[in-house]
Amino acid sequence: MKLGTKFIHAGVEPDPSTGAIMTPIYQTSTYVQEAPAQHKGYEYARSQNPTRTALEAAFAAIENGKYGLAFSSGVAATDAVIKLLKPGDEVIAGSDMYGGTYRLFSKVFEKFGIKFHYINMQDANSIRQYVNGNTKLIWIETPTNPLMNITDIAAVSAIAREAKALLCVDNTFASPYLQNPLDLGADIVMHSVTKYLGGHSDVIQGCLMMNNQILREQLYFLQKSCGAVPGPQDCFLVLRGIKTLHVRMQRHCENGKTIAHYLRNHSKVSRVYWCGFEDHPNYEIAKKQMRDFGGMMSFTLKDDSVNTAKKVLSSTKLFALAESLGGVESLINHPASMTHASIPREERLKNGLTDSLIRLSVGIEDVDDLIEDLNQAIG
Ligand SMILES: Cc1ncc(COP(=O)(O)O)c(C=O)c1O
């Protein structure tokens, strides 16, 4: 199936009880059994729910995986992956990634004896020096949030295989429309479904996709044992969101390209971080592993002061000043004080995340209106 057909039909069958074309919201906590342990495959809704079953089949299909699992947030999905590990295990993760992932690793799991190495992954080979017998997981985000750095997924997956470690890719920024890490050798794909998959800024949800059945059973065990499952109404909304993913992403990409070039040519803008520029340090890798370059970008101003950045952040009228990304509406964000505030300032600066960096999630509005808005805000 081609992408557009897959996104519309993934995982969804007419409802067996009525033929409803849209999977119903099974708003139930439990299921009546004919006799003890005699049931239709559904016992208790933390373990199984038919709306979630359809969504999990859709998740698997859109990432070309065999299995999908839904979680109550992206962070809960990440949490399940780390719970595969035990004290003494080591993780190699990117130094430039979503602040909440860093917070989960450093503030929650380090104290249980899991060791994390945060490194620059723009050159995949730099990972090798951190690999040892305890390395059990390599965690990558590409493109990264918020600096749009690119990591070569196929190259890292070869390193992970040699090290007998799992490779998990946070594919939130790209979405399955642009990039499919399982096809490039990753063991697990993770999404903050809250973003492009949901697409309408109305759901918090996460997911994991994989091909290996044993890994699926281990992660399903964690999903039901730890209990971070999404409700059926949220599952329904995401099933609906996925049906238009390709159409939305196409427009995100078109608008993103126009705005990235507009910013680059603006006399008051200093640097634009967007992986579709031919002089982006890993443009060739981005071109190889992505179908297009998306609508996420960050930029700094020539007047590199926090106050000037804050003035721009407070002046846009269409770009809403808010955390999150990937919805149909455009958002503007200040990573240093919002999405990445949980990363210590020295760490942020070391990775190039300055106090004046501005991040945009370019939506699917008319691009002329978006440019007019940025023009009046930047001045
Ligand atoms: C790249 C990335 N990964 C993971 C997350 C966490 O997802 P959630 O907010 O759905 O828990 C986010 C949230 O912003 C994100 O941007």
Side-chain angles (χ1 to χ4, degrees), residues 144-168:
T144 59
N145 181 0
L147 290 169
M148 304 303 296
N149 288 318
I150 298 291
T151 299
D152 187 332
I153 299 172
V156 180
S157 96
I159 294 169
R161 225 170 303 128
E162 264 174 53
K164 297 194 170 38
L166 292 172
L167 170 63
C168 181

PDB file of all heavy atoms in Angstrom, residues 144-168:
ATOM      1  N   THR A 144      16.474  16.275  16.009  1.00  0.00           N
ATOM      2  CA  THR A 144      16.398  16.526  17.446  1.00  0.00           C
ATOM      3  C   THR A 144      15.538  17.751  17.745  1.00  0.00           C
ATOM      4  O   THR A 144      15.387  18.647  16.926  1.00  0.00           O
ATOM      5  CB  THR A 144      17.796  16.755  18.033  1.00  0.00           C
ATOM      6  OG1 THR A 144      18.392  17.887  17.362  1.00  0.00           O
ATOM      7  CG2 THR A 144      18.682  15.541  17.891  1.00  0.00           C
ATOM      8  N   ASN A 145      15.038  17.737  18.941  1.00  0.00           N
ATOM      9  CA  ASN A 145      14.230  18.822  19.487  1.00  0.00           C
ATOM     10  C   ASN A 145      15.126  19.612  20.438  1.00  0.00           C
ATOM     11  O   ASN A 145      15.550  19.042  21.441  1.00  0.00           O
ATOM     12  CB  ASN A 145      13.046  18.180  20.246  1.00  0.00           C
ATOM     13  CG  ASN A 145      12.111  19.189  20.852  1.00  0.00           C
ATOM     14  OD1 ASN A 145      12.303  20.380  20.738  1.00  0.00           O
ATOM     15  ND2 ASN A 145      11.083  18.696  21.539  1.00  0.00           N
ATOM     16  N   PRO A 146      15.474  20.848  20.166  1.00  0.00           N
ATOM     17  CA  PRO A 146      14.956  21.755  19.153  1.00  0.00           C
ATOM     18  C   PRO A 146      15.964  22.125  18.072  1.00  0.00           C
ATOM     19  O   PRO A 146      15.668  22.960  17.239  1.00  0.00           O
ATOM     20  CB  PRO A 146      14.680  23.016  19.989  1.00  0.00           C
ATOM     21  CG  PRO A 146      15.832  23.044  20.963  1.00  0.00           C
ATOM     22  CD  PRO A 146      16.200  21.603  21.230  1.00  0.00           C
ATOM     23  N   LEU A 147      17.160  21.499  18.047  1.00  0.00           N
ATOM     24  CA  LEU A 147      18.212  22.021  17.164  1.00  0.00           C
ATOM     25  C   LEU A 147      18.256  21.349  15.796  1.00  0.00           C
ATOM     26  O   LEU A 147      19.105  21.665  14.967  1.00  0.00           O
ATOM     27  CB  LEU A 147      19.580  21.936  17.867  1.00  0.00           C
ATOM     28  CG  LEU A 147      19.702  22.930  19.034  1.00  0.00           C
ATOM     29  CD1 LEU A 147      20.946  22.639  19.870  1.00  0.00           C
ATOM     30  CD2 LEU A 147      19.751  24.375  18.515  1.00  0.00           C
ATOM     31  N   MET A 148      17.322  20.430  15.566  1.00  0.00           N
ATOM     32  CA  MET A 148      17.166  19.819  14.241  1.00  0.00           C
ATOM     33  C   MET A 148      18.441  19.114  13.765  1.00  0.00           C
ATOM     34  O   MET A 148      18.743  19.065  12.579  1.00  0.00           O
ATOM     35  CB  MET A 148      16.737  20.880  13.196  1.00  0.00           C
ATOM     36  CG  MET A 148      15.478  21.633  13.549  1.00  0.00           C
ATOM     37  SD  MET A 148      14.040  20.581  13.829  1.00  0.00           S
ATOM     38  CE  MET A 148      13.798  19.837  12.235  1.00  0.00           C
ATOM     39  N   ASN A 149      19.196  18.555  14.736  1.00  0.00           N
ATOM     40  CA  ASN A 149      20.351  17.748  14.348  1.00  0.00           C
ATOM     41  C   ASN A 149      19.866  16.397  13.822  1.00  0.00           C
ATOM     42  O   ASN A 149      18.817  15.899  14.227  1.00  0.00           O
ATOM     43  CB  ASN A 149      21.278  17.530  15.548  1.00  0.00           C
ATOM     44  CG  ASN A 149      22.014  18.802  15.905  1.00  0.00           C
ATOM     45  OD1 ASN A 149      22.489  19.521  15.023  1.00  0.00           O
ATOM     46  ND2 ASN A 149      22.090  19.107  17.185  1.00  0.00           N
ATOM     47  N   ILE A 150      20.665  15.827  12.941  1.00  0.00           N
ATOM     48  CA  ILE A 150      20.289  14.564  12.290  1.00  0.00           C
ATOM     49  C   ILE A 150      21.285  13.481  12.678  1.00  0.00           C
ATOM     50  O   ILE A 150      22.496  13.703  12.655  1.00  0.00           O
ATOM     51  CB  ILE A 150      20.295  14.740  10.752  1.00  0.00           C
ATOM     52  CG1 ILE A 150      19.271  15.801  10.313  1.00  0.00           C
ATOM     53  CG2 ILE A 150      20.055  13.399  10.041  1.00  0.00           C
ATOM     54  CD1 ILE A 150      17.820  15.423  10.483  1.00  0.00           C
ATOM     55  N   THR A 151      20.762  12.307  13.026  1.00  0.00           N
ATOM     56  CA  THR A 151      21.608  11.140  13.301  1.00  0.00           C
ATOM     57  C   THR A 151      21.301  10.074  12.248  1.00  0.00           C
ATOM     58  O   THR A 151      20.141   9.871  11.881  1.00  0.00           O
ATOM     59  CB  THR A 151      21.306  10.582  14.713  1.00  0.00           C
ATOM     60  OG1 THR A 151      21.597  11.604  15.663  1.00  0.00           O
ATOM     61  CG2 THR A 151      22.146   9.363  15.027  1.00  0.00           C
ATOM     62  N   ASP A 152      22.347   9.392  11.812  1.00  0.00           N
ATOM     63  CA  ASP A 152      22.210   8.362  10.786  1.00  0.00           C
ATOM     64  C   ASP A 152      21.655   7.083  11.432  1.00  0.00           C
ATOM     65  O   ASP A 152      22.371   6.344  12.123  1.00  0.00           O
ATOM     66  CB  ASP A 152      23.600   8.114  10.167  1.00  0.00           C
ATOM     67  CG  ASP A 152      23.532   7.183   8.962  1.00  0.00           C
ATOM     68  OD1 ASP A 152      22.618   6.335   8.911  1.00  0.00           O
ATOM     69  OD2 ASP A 152      24.401   7.307   8.086  1.00  0.00           O
ATOM     70  N   ILE A 153      20.373   6.816  11.223  1.00  0.00           N
ATOM     71  CA  ILE A 153      19.707   5.701  11.913  1.00  0.00           C
ATOM     72  C   ILE A 153      20.314   4.354  11.500  1.00  0.00           C
ATOM     73  O   ILE A 153      20.579   3.495  12.345  1.00  0.00           O
ATOM     74  CB  ILE A 153      18.183   5.711  11.631  1.00  0.00           C
ATOM     75  CG1 ILE A 153      17.557   7.011  12.145  1.00  0.00           C
ATOM     76  CG2 ILE A 153      17.502   4.511  12.290  1.00  0.00           C
ATOM     77  CD1 ILE A 153      16.100   7.204  11.734  1.00  0.00           C
ATOM     78  N   ALA A 154      20.558   4.169  10.200  1.00  0.00           N
ATOM     79  CA  ALA A 154      21.095   2.879   9.729  1.00  0.00           C
ATOM     80  C   ALA A 154      22.482   2.635  10.323  1.00  0.00           C
ATOM     81  O   ALA A 154      22.806   1.507  10.743  1.00  0.00           O
ATOM     82  CB  ALA A 154      21.144   2.852   8.202  1.00  0.00           C
ATOM     83  N   ALA A 155      23.304   3.693  10.399  1.00  0.00           N
ATOM     84  CA  ALA A 155      24.659   3.532  10.941  1.00  0.00           C
ATOM     85  C   ALA A 155      24.593   3.189  12.430  1.00  0.00           C
ATOM     86  O   ALA A 155      25.330   2.305  12.903  1.00  0.00           O
ATOM     87  CB  ALA A 155      25.470   4.811  10.717  1.00  0.00           C
ATOM     88  N   VAL A 156      23.698   3.850  13.176  1.00  0.00           N
ATOM     89  CA  VAL A 156      23.602   3.552  14.616  1.00  0.00           C
ATOM     90  C   VAL A 156      23.025   2.157  14.826  1.00  0.00           C
ATOM     91  O   VAL A 156      23.409   1.447  15.756  1.00  0.00           O
ATOM     92  CB  VAL A 156      22.755   4.617  15.353  1.00  0.00           C
ATOM     93  CG1 VAL A 156      22.662   4.289  16.843  1.00  0.00           C
ATOM     94  CG2 VAL A 156      23.349   6.006  15.170  1.00  0.00           C
ATOM     95  N   SER A 157      22.129   1.756  13.948  1.00  0.00           N
ATOM     96  CA  SER A 157      21.541   0.424  14.143  1.00  0.00           C
ATOM     97  C   SER A 157      22.608  -0.654  13.937  1.00  0.00           C
ATOM     98  O   SER A 157      22.595  -1.687  14.625  1.00  0.00           O
ATOM     99  CB  SER A 157      20.306   0.233  13.263  1.00  0.00           C
ATOM    100  OG  SER A 157      20.619  -0.412  12.089  1.00  0.00           O
ATOM    101  N   ALA A 158      23.565  -0.416  13.040  1.00  0.00           N
ATOM    102  CA  ALA A 158      24.666  -1.386  12.868  1.00  0.00           C
ATOM    103  C   ALA A 158      25.516  -1.447  14.143  1.00  0.00           C
ATOM    104  O   ALA A 158      25.902  -2.539  14.594  1.00  0.00           O
ATOM    105  CB  ALA A 158      25.522  -0.987  11.671  1.00  0.00           C
ATOM    106  N   ILE A 159      25.754  -0.286  14.755  1.00  0.00           N
ATOM    107  CA  ILE A 159      26.544  -0.248  16.004  1.00  0.00           C
ATOM    108  C   ILE A 159      25.776  -0.976  17.121  1.00  0.00           C
ATOM    109  O   ILE A 159      26.340  -1.751  17.893  1.00  0.00           O
ATOM    110  CB  ILE A 159      26.848   1.218  16.401  1.00  0.00           C
ATOM    111  CG1 ILE A 159      27.764   1.848  15.340  1.00  0.00           C
ATOM    112  CG2 ILE A 159      27.469   1.305  17.792  1.00  0.00           C
ATOM    113  CD1 ILE A 159      27.933   3.350  15.456  1.00  0.00           C
ATOM    114  N   ALA A 160      24.465  -0.728  17.198  1.00  0.00           N
ATOM    115  CA  ALA A 160      23.649  -1.366  18.240  1.00  0.00           C
ATOM    116  C   ALA A 160      23.656  -2.883  18.071  1.00  0.00           C
ATOM    117  O   ALA A 160      23.758  -3.637  19.038  1.00  0.00           O
ATOM    118  CB  ALA A 160      22.220  -0.828  18.185  1.00  0.00           C
ATOM    119  N   ARG A 161      23.553  -3.325  16.825  1.00  0.00           N
ATOM    120  CA  ARG A 161      23.534  -4.782  16.563  1.00  0.00           C
ATOM    121  C   ARG A 161      24.847  -5.421  17.015  1.00  0.00           C
ATOM    122  O   ARG A 161      24.851  -6.440  17.699  1.00  0.00           O
ATOM    123  CB  ARG A 161      23.293  -5.040  15.073  1.00  0.00           C
ATOM    124  CG  ARG A 161      22.247  -6.135  14.864  1.00  0.00           C
ATOM    125  CD  ARG A 161      21.796  -6.258  13.419  1.00  0.00           C
ATOM    126  NE  ARG A 161      21.269  -5.018  12.890  1.00  0.00           N
ATOM    127  CZ  ARG A 161      21.665  -4.437  11.763  1.00  0.00           C
ATOM    128  NH1 ARG A 161      22.614  -4.960  11.018  1.00  0.00           N
ATOM    129  NH2 ARG A 161      21.109  -3.309  11.352  1.00  0.00           N
ATOM    130  N   GLU A 162      25.973  -4.758  16.653  1.00  0.00           N
ATOM    131  CA  GLU A 162      27.292  -5.277  17.073  1.00  0.00           C
ATOM    132  C   GLU A 162      27.378  -5.357  18.591  1.00  0.00           C
ATOM    133  O   GLU A 162      27.942  -6.290  19.146  1.00  0.00           O
ATOM    134  CB  GLU A 162      28.376  -4.276  16.634  1.00  0.00           C
ATOM    135  CG  GLU A 162      29.046  -4.574  15.336  1.00  0.00           C
ATOM    136  CD  GLU A 162      29.982  -3.420  14.980  1.00  0.00           C
ATOM    137  OE1 GLU A 162      30.828  -3.034  15.807  1.00  0.00           O
ATOM    138  OE2 GLU A 162      29.820  -2.878  13.864  1.00  0.00           O
ATOM    139  N   ALA A 163      26.805  -4.334  19.264  1.00  0.00           N
ATOM    140  CA  ALA A 163      26.905  -4.264  20.728  1.00  0.00           C
ATOM    141  C   ALA A 163      25.842  -5.127  21.413  1.00  0.00           C
ATOM    142  O   ALA A 163      25.784  -5.183  22.636  1.00  0.00           O
ATOM    143  CB  ALA A 163      26.750  -2.804  21.175  1.00  0.00           C
ATOM    144  N   LYS A 164      24.966  -5.753  20.622  1.00  0.00           N
ATOM    145  CA  LYS A 164      23.823  -6.522  21.148  1.00  0.00           C
ATOM    146  C   LYS A 164      22.959  -5.653  22.066  1.00  0.00           C
ATOM    147  O   LYS A 164      22.455  -6.090  23.095  1.00  0.00           O
ATOM    148  CB  LYS A 164      24.288  -7.775  21.869  1.00  0.00           C
ATOM    149  CG  LYS A 164      25.016  -8.759  20.953  1.00  0.00           C
ATOM    150  CD  LYS A 164      25.160 -10.106  21.614  1.00  0.00           C
ATOM    151  CE  LYS A 164      25.645 -11.196  20.697  1.00  0.00           C
ATOM    152  NZ  LYS A 164      26.651 -10.875  19.712  1.00  0.00           N
ATOM    153  N   ALA A 165      22.837  -4.402  21.674  1.00  0.00           N
ATOM    154  CA  ALA A 165      21.992  -3.466  22.430  1.00  0.00           C
ATOM    155  C   ALA A 165      20.770  -3.144  21.580  1.00  0.00           C
ATOM    156  O   ALA A 165      20.794  -3.283  20.352  1.00  0.00           O
ATOM    157  CB  ALA A 165      22.778  -2.187  22.721  1.00  0.00           C
ATOM    158  N   LEU A 166      19.691  -2.706  22.241  1.00  0.00           N
ATOM    159  CA  LEU A 166      18.496  -2.295  21.505  1.00  0.00           C
ATOM    160  C   LEU A 166      18.691  -0.880  20.988  1.00  0.00           C
ATOM    161  O   LEU A 166      19.341  -0.055  21.648  1.00  0.00           O
ATOM    162  CB  LEU A 166      17.277  -2.300  22.428  1.00  0.00           C
ATOM    163  CG  LEU A 166      16.788  -3.655  22.943  1.00  0.00           C
ATOM    164  CD1 LEU A 166      15.692  -3.438  23.988  1.00  0.00           C
ATOM    165  CD2 LEU A 166      16.256  -4.493  21.773  1.00  0.00           C
ATOM    166  N   LEU A 167      18.099  -0.596  19.838  1.00  0.00           N
ATOM    167  CA  LEU A 167      18.065   0.787  19.351  1.00  0.00           C
ATOM    168  C   LEU A 167      16.617   1.267  19.351  1.00  0.00           C
ATOM    169  O   LEU A 167      15.752   0.650  18.713  1.00  0.00           O
ATOM    170  CB  LEU A 167      18.635   0.873  17.924  1.00  0.00           C
ATOM    171  CG  LEU A 167      18.425   2.245  17.242  1.00  0.00           C
ATOM    172  CD1 LEU A 167      19.157   3.359  18.001  1.00  0.00           C
ATOM    173  CD2 LEU A 167      18.898   2.213  15.788  1.00  0.00           C
ATOM    174  N   CYS A 168      16.358   2.342  20.090  1.00  0.00           N
ATOM    175  CA  CYS A 168      15.020   2.951  20.072  1.00  0.00           C
ATOM    176  C   CYS A 168      15.126   4.349  19.463  1.00  0.00           C
ATOM    177  O   CYS A 168      16.001   5.136  19.841  1.00  0.00           O
ATOM    178  CB  CYS A 168      14.452   3.041  21.492  1.00  0.00           C
ATOM    179  SG  CYS A 168      12.786   3.747  21.514  1.00  0.00           S
TER     180      CYS A 168
END
